[in-house]
Amino acid sequence: MLSGFKDFILRGNVVTMAIGLAVGAAFTAVVTGFSTAFIAPLIGIATASAGDFSKAHFTVNGTNFPYGVFVASAIAFVITAAVLYFLVVVPMMKVQARMDRDKPVDIKAATRDCPRCYSQIPAIATRCCHCTSELKADPEALALAGLPEQR
């Protein structure tokens, strides 16, 4: 029982996820600090509020609504999301696309509709598996799969 738990913990994706969460929490703290220290005061100056915008609030029937805290949190979220997207997601998509470029093509992945019964069939098929009508294979799919032109 403990060996299964050890295998689960030491699996690569669990360790990577734990590291990602720790780095994400630290990064969020940095962005929140930046937003509180620089962005919120700049918004406060631009909106003629006194100093820190995160302390802005309004009162209705004696109830205090601190909307500045929400705006500061929203700004921190947008900054965090933008940095993670442009510095992590976009480069990882480029690396993934570069790695997938040399993978063999799945010849059954490309599909088309049979012109007789309108069911999905592989693009390289020469006979429909549903209605058994003879078809001509898609030349682009044949070229992509590296197969010769069929008669």
Side-chain angles (χ1 to χ4, degrees):
M1 186 164 137
L2 289 178
S3 65
F5 180 71
K6 182 182 82 168
D7 292 341
F8 173 73
I9 292 297
L10 295 179
R11 200 177 318 164
N13 55 1
V14 173
V15 173
T16 304
M17 185 177 65
I19 292 170
L21 285 172
V23 170
F27 181 72
T28 301
V30 168
V31 170
T32 302
F34 175 76
S35 175
T36 303
F38 294 104
I39 303 296
L42 288 175
I43 292 175
I45 291 170
T47 59
S49 297
D52 190 5
F53 182 73
S54 64
K55 294 180 181 158
H57 66 280
F58 65 90
T59 305
V60 176
N61 291 337
T63 304
N64 188 23
F65 292 93
Y67 68 91
V69 174
F70 171 74
V71 172
S73 298
I75 291 169
F77 171 76
V78 168
I79 292 171
T80 304
V83 168
L84 288 176
Y85 179 76
F86 290 113
L87 296 182
V88 176
V89 174
V90 170
M92 285 304 294
M93 288 188 325
K94 287 183 181 180
V95 167
Q96 189 68 32
R98 193 173 282 159
M99 293 178 87
D100 288 345
R101 192 177 336 162
D102 298 330
K103 283 189 176 178
V105 177
D106 182 14
I107 59 176
K108 293 182 180 180
T111 60
R112 63 181 171 146
D113 290 335
C114 173
R116 307 257 193 280
C117 68
Y118 305 108
S119 47
Q120 288 276 322
I121 59 172
I124 61 169
T126 57
R127 186 176 292 271
C128 178
C129 60
H130 301 281
C131 68
T132 68
S133 61
E134 290 191 30
L135 308 167
K136 185 171 180 167
D138 185 18
E140 291 179 19
L142 288 174
L144 186 63
L147 298 173
E149 184 73 30
Q150 299 175 354
R151 297 182 221 196

